[in-house]
Amino acid sequence: MMNIKVDTHTHTIASTHAYCTVMENAKYASEVGMEAIAVTDHAPQLPDAPHFWHFRNLKNIPRDLFGIKILYGVELNILDLEGNTDEEGLGTERMDVVNASIHSPCFKDGPGHDCTGAYENVIKNPNIDIVCHSGNPDYAYDYEKIVKMAGEYNKLIEINNHSFAVRKSSIENCRKIAELCKKYGTGIVVSSDAHFCTDIGNYNNALNMLNEIDFPEELIMNRDLKTFEKFMSRRKELYKWKM
């Protein structure tokens, strides 16, 4: 099974339904042979998320902990059918990894709608890098249209290992999304969405599914740090942290 070296979606105690610090996450990542982790706590509209100052202050986290590169980031909340997010004031234009997801407590239009328009505008947002855990059938969209569009806009689609445990109704759609990424050559990331340090680098369920559909390794853009940084530099070279 492939050993993916960059975890693009992890949480810390700043998101208070997670349970480990940045130091604990980095130390564990080093023990299991990772190269980098993204610190992507929830943006402020989620009820237990940190204050926006948390995100403005990410540059105080050392870039290297235990030999692990720390990537500064956030998991934005998609707020409505127009694809608005809670990024205002967070400094997303200077972050390394900007994820965007629908979380039911924040989605003002509620479940059961066609969310294609929301994802279209998320894809068009220049500050967003990765569409995350989008397989939830309560927030379905035109998967073929959005996957194809993501490739055209040089955005990444996440295959979220955590969904196989906590969002089981999403599994069928996750497979469909992955198959479409393979069809259109759209890049993906495989993430843990870890809420405890020992889950970092755990992608077993996601990778089993990808193996079943013979998903091409070259489309997994977080397989190592060099590959991930090369991909990201093509679209984020203007958005660098000012130290």
Side-chain angles (χ1 to χ4, degrees):
M1 187 174 293
M2 187 176 182
N3 186 11
I4 294 174
K5 300 286 190 176
V6 180
D7 200 334
T8 56
H9 190 163
T10 73
H11 294 282
T12 75
I13 56 172
S15 298
T16 55
H17 67 295
Y19 300 94
C20 292
T21 65
V22 176
M23 291 281 282
E24 289 168 330
N25 285 354
K27 187 174 188 298
Y28 183 79
S30 72
E31 292 170 355
V32 295
M34 304 288 290
E35 293 180 349
I37 58 172
V39 178
T40 54
D41 284 302
H42 289 284
Q45 285 294 316
L46 202 68
D48 78 336
H51 191 274
F52 81 93
W53 289 341
H54 166 87
F55 303 99
R56 300 293 298 192
N57 208 37
L58 283 171
K59 61 188 177 183
N60 284 288
I61 301 174
R63 276 297 192 180
D64 184 283
L65 289 170
F66 305 101
I68 297 296
K69 182 166 185 178
I70 305 299
L71 304 173
Y72 306 145
V74 64
E75 183 180 6
L76 297 177
N77 297 291
I78 302 170
L79 301 177
D80 52 38
L81 291 171
E82 285 71 51
N84 293 306
T85 72
D86 50 354
E87 70 174 308
E88 185 176 359
L90 302 187
T92 52
E93 70 278 2
R94 297 189 302 276
M95 289 184 181
D96 302 309
V97 180
V98 178
N99 297 327
S101 314
I102 291 178
H103 298 101
S104 55
C106 309
F107 196 71
K108 298 171 184 175
D109 293 301
H113 299 281
D114 180 349
C115 293
T116 303
Y119 282 109
E120 283 181 304
N121 287 326
V122 165
I123 293 293
K124 291 176 182 177
N125 185 325
N127 296 329
I128 293 173
D129 304 309
I130 304 171
V131 174
C132 290
H133 59 71
S134 64
N136 189 336
D138 289 340
Y139 305 99
Y141 57 94
D142 184 332
Y143 300 109
E144 187 149 11
K145 181 177 183 178
I146 295 303
V147 166
K148 186 172 184 289
M149 185 178 176
E152 291 168 351
Y153 277 76
N154 208 33
K155 301 298 178 78
L156 296 168
I157 301 293
E158 178 193 66
I159 303 299
N160 184 304
N161 194 72
H162 200 50
S163 293
F164 289 79
V166 302
R167 289 180 286 268
K168 293 187 177 181
S169 62
S170 300
I171 293 174
E172 182 179 347
N173 286 334
C174 290
R175 187 184 186 101
K176 181 187 300 183
I177 290 165
E179 288 172 337
L180 287 167
C181 288
K182 177 182 176 181
K183 175 181 177 180
Y184 288 106
T186 298
I188 70 167
V189 294
V190 183
S191 79
S192 70
D193 194 358
H195 289 66
F196 192 79
C197 64
T198 55
D199 212 26
I200 288 172
N202 176 13
Y203 321 108
N204 290 343
N205 290 322
L207 287 177
N208 284 336
M209 182 270 289
L210 292 173
N211 287 335
E212 288 171 4
I213 66 170
D214 195 25
F215 193 86
E217 181 177 317
E218 62 268 21
L219 290 181
I220 303 176
M221 297 302 172
N222 64 325
R223 60 187 184 269
D224 55 60
L225 184 58
K226 181 179 179 180
T227 299
F228 185 69
E229 290 186 327
K230 181 178 179 181
F231 178 89
M232 296 296 282
S233 70
R234 292 202 299 266
R235 60 173 305 273
K236 293 195 67 132
E237 59 186 8
L238 298 178
Y239 305 131
K240 299 188 184 297
W241 280 90
K242 296 179 181 178
M243 302 304 291

